[in-house]
Amino acid sequence: MRIVLLGAPGSGKGTQAKLIVKERGIPHISTGDLLRQAIADETELGLAAKKVMDAGELVSDEIVLGMLKDRLNKSDAQQGFVLDGFPRNLTQAEMLEDLLTELNIELDHALLIQVNPDEVVARIAKRAEQENRTDDTEEVVRNRLEVYREQTEPVADFYRKQDIVSEIHGTGTIEEVHDRIQAVLRF
Ligand code: AP5
């Protein structure tokens, strides 16, 4: 099964992706995690990405697509995947479409996790106290939400035209949200 997870920063994409992959035995491919790993490894790409991520902006489409292509070509992604954080704008959605056509595969689901802005700000503020993500400061979170509204929200319409979008109510416990996702994936 090939799934794209859409939703604002803090909506629970990463949390839900981990639960889906555990049950379905497919890999969780998070472009945010791939970029954070490149930063930790101090690669040239990571160093270039860090400044952009710390400002809450999007890393260049070419960099992210290159990383994604490498990851999708690995053997564990051949039977399916959960994409988390990609595509992030319409250009990336079109790039992904071309890539999937090249690989002769299609997406099965685009799950749009809906959480109101006050809740995502509260979740990220809580995470900022527990973890050390440099883009979780209040000012950067505000910018990430703005970037989401301007650039990522239109991606849902891109997939609505393919009739593969399911909106998931993302408030409630992690298990409740997971149950709603499971109900859609079982359908
Ligand atoms: P990325 O890593 O993708 O971050 P994000 O989209 O901003 O999302 P988050 O990780 O903040 O949230 P999430 O929706 O995964 O929620 P989570 O499960 O963690 O991107 C970071 C940056 O990388 C971008 O700003 C950009 O610079 C760059 N980047 C990444 N991909 C890119 C791309 N394709 N193109 C260009 N640039 C790219 O949950 C959040 C918190 O809430 C957690 O603490 C969690 O425990 C908690 N939580 C989850 N569910 C619940 C619940 N039901 N109730 C209460 N708390 C909950």
Side-chain angles (χ1 to χ4, degrees):
M1 188 174 278
R2 298 178 184 95
I3 301 167
V4 162
L5 283 181
L6 303 171
S11 59
K13 301 181 298 295
T15 304
Q16 295 300 327
K18 286 185 183 75
L19 296 175
I20 299 169
V21 302
K22 207 167 148 193
E23 272 165 5
R24 297 191 174 255
I26 49 178
H28 171 198
I29 302 180
S30 155
T31 44
D33 286 349
L34 291 171
L35 287 165
R36 281 183 286 276
Q37 188 59 51
I39 293 173
D41 294 343
E42 298 183 344
T43 64
E44 202 176 315
L45 185 157
L47 294 175
K50 182 166 169 43
K51 272 193 205 145
V52 182
M53 289 171 77
D54 283 351
E57 297 293 330
L58 296 184
V59 175
S60 90
D61 296 330
E62 288 69 26
I63 288 184
V64 182
L65 187 78
M67 268 179 11
L68 183 73
K69 266 188 180 170
D70 290 346
R71 184 63 190 85
L72 285 181
N73 275 326
K74 295 205 169 140
S75 60
D76 65 341
Q78 303 316 304
Q79 297 313 312
F81 48 77
V82 179
L83 266 189
D84 161 12
F86 189 101
R88 209 71 169 214
N89 57 30
L90 286 174
T91 306
Q92 292 185 7
E94 278 154 12
M95 284 171 154
L96 178 63
E97 206 60 15
D98 291 344
L99 178 60
L100 296 178
T101 304
E102 223 174 85
L103 299 171
N104 203 20
I105 53 179
E106 286 183 353
L107 293 175
D108 298 297
H109 293 278
L111 304 178
L112 173 59
I113 305 180
Q114 300 275 30
V115 175
N116 75 54
D118 289 344
E119 168 84 14
V120 297
V121 168
R123 285 185 190 177
I124 293 179
K126 194 169 166 197
R127 181 172 67 189
E129 287 168 12
Q130 297 160 345
E131 296 175 24
N132 200 19
R133 257 179 73 165
T134 46
D135 61 348
D136 274 350
T137 62
E138 196 185 327
E139 195 190 344
V140 177
V141 169
R142 224 176 292 126
N143 193 38
R144 283 163 61 198
L145 286 170
E146 198 51 41
V147 168
Y148 173 77
R149 271 190 289 270
E150 282 176 8
Q151 302 197 44
T152 313
E153 271 185 356
V155 173
D157 284 333
F158 180 91
Y159 289 122
R160 279 191 186 99
K161 288 185 192 137
Q162 299 183 10
D163 208 18
I164 58 167
V165 173
S166 299
E167 296 196 17
I168 308 292
H169 177 50
T171 311
T173 66
I174 289 169
E175 293 71 25
E176 283 166 345
V177 178
H178 179 60
D179 286 348
R180 291 174 201 138
I181 289 178
Q182 283 298 85
V184 167
L185 298 184
R186 262 197 298 270
F187 181 65

